[in-house]
């Protein structure tokens, strides 16, 4: 064997022969399009998996909601049956008690219910039933709603009866002033009040008429004075603020007029108000303002400066809160506070409309 053959044998032993190649030769390089196609295929598979998962979750959720809805419907139906049974028992018990009471008092018996009648409103023997069509027409003629929410025929009939009785009952006439009231207003010559509050009922009623007439006159003159201003003043900020003050005072005095109508004003407020009105009618506005301060603040001692120095109390310090013991302050009531402040505003306008002869009686 020559040298060449010997080297070939050794090389073949060191490097075995390569395996047989397949029919498709392995690609050494890949195209970008193939890589992008593979990426898109992987992405679409992931999206399809996510979509399947979402659909499974939605199906489970829808199934749970349907089961929950069925359970709630069954629960509501059970509650409705229990409520209906309780209402029926209560209605039978009330009807039984009503029949026993009527039998004991000798009143006419209740009419028996018609078949299928479910409402709890009982119809007396003297009441006449009205058809739905006629009842709707009658309510429309009266300007009332034909049917309220949750109202049945019997309740609508009872409401129509109440409206008819209210319309037939004579109502007291109301004045057409700034604050409508049922009180008969007195002329200006009779508005001057006395210094003391009368004790008899007729005297107090006439006093309430005098007070209502006086405040009505002031509010009317106030509105007229604001209406006579020029348009530039009305549109200004100060002009609008003055008008709003008048409107607010008028609205805040409505509860006071209601108390005048019912004669329910307390003596603790009525007596100072009479003193204020009497001073204002005599054009003593400083005295009227003093009466207002006495009514609103009172005669309680006010702490001025230091009330305690060291460990010793100042003399008469215990008198600072004596007036507050056992009684609420008159301005603690919001309604009372508002109409008292409105009276003060009426005083401020009255001194400009009817100025005093003595300039010392002008309020600051």
């Amino acid at each position: 064997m020559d040298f060449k053959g010997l080297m070939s044998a050794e090389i073949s032993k060191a490097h075995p022969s390569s395996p047989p190649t397949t029919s498709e030769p392995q690609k050494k390089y890949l195209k970008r399009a193939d890589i992008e196609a593979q990426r898109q295929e992987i992405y679409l598979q992931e999206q399809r998996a996510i979509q399947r998962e979402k659909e499974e979750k939605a199906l489970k959720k829808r199934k749970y909601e349907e089961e929950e809805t069925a359970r709630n419907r069954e629960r509501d139906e059970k509650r409705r049956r229990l409520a209906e049974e309780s209402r029926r028992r209560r209605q039978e018990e009330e009807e039984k008690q009503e029949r026993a009471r009527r039998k004991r008092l000798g009143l006419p018996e209740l009419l028996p219910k018609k078949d299928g009648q479910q409402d709890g409103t009982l119809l007396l023997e003297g009441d006449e039933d009205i058809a739905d069509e006629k009842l709707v027409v009658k309510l429309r003629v009266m300007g009332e709603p034909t049917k309220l929410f949750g109202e049945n025929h019997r309740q609508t009939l009872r409401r129509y009866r109440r409206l008819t009785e209210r319309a037939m009952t004579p109502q007291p006439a109301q004045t057409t002033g700034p604050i409508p009231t049922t009180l008969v207003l007195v002329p200006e010559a009779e508005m001057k009040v006395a210094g003391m509050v009368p004790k008899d009922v007729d005297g107090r009623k006439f006093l309430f008429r005098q007070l209502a007439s006086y405040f009505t006159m002031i509010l009317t003159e106030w509105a007229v004075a604001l209406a006579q201003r020029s348009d530039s003043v009305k549109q200004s900020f100060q002009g609008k603020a003055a008008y709003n003050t008048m409107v607010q005072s008028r609205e805040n005095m409505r509860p006071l007029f209601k108390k005048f109508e019912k004669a329910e004003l307390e003596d603790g407020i009525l007596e100072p108000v009479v003193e204020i009105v009497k001073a204002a009618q005599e054009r003593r506005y400083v005295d009227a303002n003093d009466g207002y301060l006495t009514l609103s603040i009172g005669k309680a001692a006010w702490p001025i400066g230091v009330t305690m120095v060291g460990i010793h109390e100042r003399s008469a310090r215990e008198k600072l809160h004596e007036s507050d013991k056992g009684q609420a302050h008159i301005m603690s009531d919001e309604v009372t506070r508002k109409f008292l402040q409105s009276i003060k505003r009426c005083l401020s306008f009255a001194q400009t409309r009817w100025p005093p002869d003595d300039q010392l009686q002008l309020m600051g």
Side-chain angles (χ1 to χ4, degrees):
M1 180 178 295
D2 55 357
F3 179 77
K4 182 178 179 181
L6 183 61
M7 293 299 296
S8 298
E10 293 295 332
I11 291 173
S12 60
K13 291 179 181 179
H15 299 283
S17 59
S18 60
T21 60
T22 59
S23 59
E24 293 183 1
Q26 186 176 1
K27 294 181 179 180
K28 188 175 183 180
Y29 302 102
L30 295 177
K31 295 181 180 180
R32 186 179 296 274
D34 297 338
I35 298 175
E36 185 65 22
Q38 293 178 3
R39 190 189 64 81
Q40 290 182 1
E41 182 65 24
I42 296 173
Y43 174 76
L44 292 176
Q45 291 178 1
E46 293 177 353
Q47 292 299 317
R48 283 193 289 269
I50 294 174
Q51 184 66 23
R52 285 194 299 270
E53 186 178 356
K54 287 183 179 179
E55 291 177 356
E56 291 176 358
K57 289 183 178 180
L59 181 61
K60 292 181 179 179
K61 181 179 180 181
R62 184 165 59 253
K63 185 177 180 181
Y64 174 78
E65 290 178 352
E66 291 176 356
E67 293 176 354
E68 187 68 19
T69 303
R71 287 194 295 268
N72 291 337
R73 189 184 303 110
E74 183 179 357
R75 190 184 305 112
D76 294 341
E77 182 66 21
K78 184 176 180 181
R79 289 178 179 175
R80 188 191 63 79
R81 290 196 303 268
L82 293 176
E84 184 69 21
E85 182 69 19
S86 176
R87 187 193 64 81
R88 186 182 61 80
R89 292 179 180 177
R90 185 174 63 254
Q91 182 178 344
E92 291 177 356
E93 185 66 23
E94 291 177 356
E95 185 176 355
K96 182 179 179 180
Q97 294 178 1
E98 180 66 18
R99 292 183 183 278
R101 186 185 68 86
R102 286 180 166 276
K103 184 177 180 180
R104 184 175 66 255
L105 298 177
L107 298 176
E109 292 289 337
L110 296 174
L111 291 179
K113 290 186 178 182
K114 299 179 181 179
D115 296 337
Q117 180 179 345
Q118 299 296 332
D119 58 333
T121 306
L122 303 176
L123 187 66
L124 303 180
E125 287 187 356
D127 293 342
E128 180 183 358
D129 196 5
I130 302 177
D132 288 338
E133 295 79 6
K134 295 183 180 180
L135 188 60
V136 167
V137 173
K138 292 178 180 296
L139 289 173
R140 285 178 177 172
V141 170
M142 298 175 66
E144 296 291 334
T146 59
K147 184 73 68 176
L148 298 179
F149 179 76
E151 191 178 44
N152 50 41
H153 174 72
R154 300 294 179 182
Q155 294 171 347
T156 306
L157 182 61
R158 288 296 178 87
R159 180 165 59 89
Y160 169 72
R161 300 295 187 193
R162 289 195 299 268
L163 293 174
T164 305
E165 293 177 0
R166 188 183 306 170
M168 295 176 61
T169 303
Q171 299 292 335
Q174 290 188 345
T175 60
T176 57
I179 302 179
T181 178
T182 57
L183 295 173
V184 180
L185 302 181
V186 299
E188 186 175 356
E190 301 178 5
M191 290 183 188
K192 191 173 181 60
V193 298
M196 300 296 295
V197 177
K199 301 298 182 182
D200 57 320
V201 178
D202 295 336
R204 291 176 68 91
K205 289 183 178 181
F206 184 73
L207 176 62
F208 291 139
R209 291 172 55 194
Q210 287 178 316
L211 295 176
S213 303
Y214 179 71
F215 289 124
T216 299
M217 180 185 67
I218 292 181
L219 292 173
T220 303
E221 293 292 333
W222 196 354
V224 171
L226 294 179
Q228 291 177 351
R229 300 175 301 171
S230 61
D231 294 338
S232 60
V233 176
K234 291 180 181 179
Q235 298 299 327
S236 63
F237 177 78
Q238 291 80 6
K240 292 181 180 179
Y243 179 77
N244 293 334
T245 300
M246 186 272 296
V247 173
Q248 185 180 14
S249 301
R250 183 184 62 194
E251 296 300 323
N252 291 341
M253 292 189 71
R254 290 182 183 273
L256 180 62
F257 275 67
K258 293 296 182 182
K259 291 180 179 292
F260 288 161
E261 294 174 359
K262 299 178 181 179
E264 295 179 350
L265 193 61
E266 301 84 355
D267 291 340
I269 301 178
L270 179 59
E271 294 177 358
V273 168
V274 170
E275 295 178 1
I276 293 171
V277 172
K278 179 176 177 58
Q281 289 177 345
E282 296 175 357
R283 303 188 181 186
R284 296 183 290 108
Y285 299 108
V286 172
D287 297 338
N289 186 48
D290 293 341
Y292 167 76
L293 293 177
T294 303
L295 175 60
S296 58
I297 299 176
K299 297 181 179 180
W302 284 75
I304 300 177
V306 181
T307 58
M308 180 180 292
V309 177
I311 62 175
H312 302 288
E313 292 187 354
R314 298 184 62 183
S315 60
R317 183 178 181 271
E318 65 276 1
K319 296 181 180 180
L320 293 177
H321 304 286
E322 281 185 353
S323 60
D324 298 337
K325 295 179 180 178
Q327 60 180 358
H329 197 271
I330 194 172
M331 300 293 269
S332 60
D333 183 17
E334 188 71 12
V335 177
T336 305
R337 181 184 64 82
K338 286 183 177 181
F339 69 67
L340 289 180
Q341 289 179 349
S342 300
I343 292 176
K344 176 63 172 61
R345 291 173 177 175
C346 290
L347 291 179
S348 300
F349 169 75
Q351 74 172 356
T352 60
R353 176 62 178 82
W354 298 281
D357 298 331
D358 186 4
Q359 296 300 318
L360 296 178
Q361 287 296 328
L362 281 174
M363 295 185 298

